[in-house]
Each structure stands twice: as C-alpha cells, then as structure tokens.
Amino acid sequence: NAYAVIIGVEHYRDIVRADYAGRDAISVRDYFRYALGVPAEQIVTLTDSRASLSDLGCARVNGCRSTIAKPAA
C-alpha cells in the first residue's frame, strides 16, 4: 500500500522563485498514479499557498481531500 505526499512550491517568501515547481509536482503525481499505480485517494499534492505546514499536517492526519489537487484526466 503506497502513499505519496508531493509538494511543489514556486513562490517562496524569502528566497528566489522555483519556476515550474507546481507543474513538476503535478507531473510527479501523474507518474505515481499512472505509471506506478498508486491510487488517487492515496496521493496528496500540495502546491504554493496550499503547501503550508498546516496543510501538510492535515494531509498526514486525514487526507484533507479539499487540499488535494485534482488528478489530470
């Protein structure tokens, strides 16, 4: 039973931007889902403003489905 928490932050408060980190996180999520067969409900993808410490804690505790980016079709 595999689970994944994927974090992609492009806009940091105090350091240089990490261009494309959000898109990279979505690509990794899709790879885990389609190539590795990890079920979508076992993948949490947090990006930018939805990648705070509290979002990570929420994902760890109960999945907080509202914080998870939707899988690509």
Side-chain angles (χ1 to χ4, degrees):
N1 292 336
Y3 290 84
V5 176
I6 303 161
I7 301 170
V9 178
E10 291 184 20
H11 304 97
Y12 289 95
R13 187 174 37 228
D14 298 322
I15 60 175
V16 69
R17 287 174 47 111
D19 292 333
Y20 311 111
R23 280 191 266 174
D24 290 348
I26 300 303
S27 294
V28 169
R29 179 204 59 203
D30 292 345
Y31 178 78
F32 284 5
R33 182 166 181 213
Y34 299 111
L36 301 180
V38 179
E41 61 274 5
Q42 294 175 201
I43 302 172
V44 176
T45 304
L46 305 171
T47 57
D48 287 317
S49 65
R50 299 302 302 196
S52 69
L53 185 57
S54 63
D55 291 318
L56 181 58
C58 184
R60 185 177 67 81
V61 171
N62 64 10
C64 292
R65 301 305 298 170
S66 65
T67 68
I68 301 170
K70 300 289 184 218

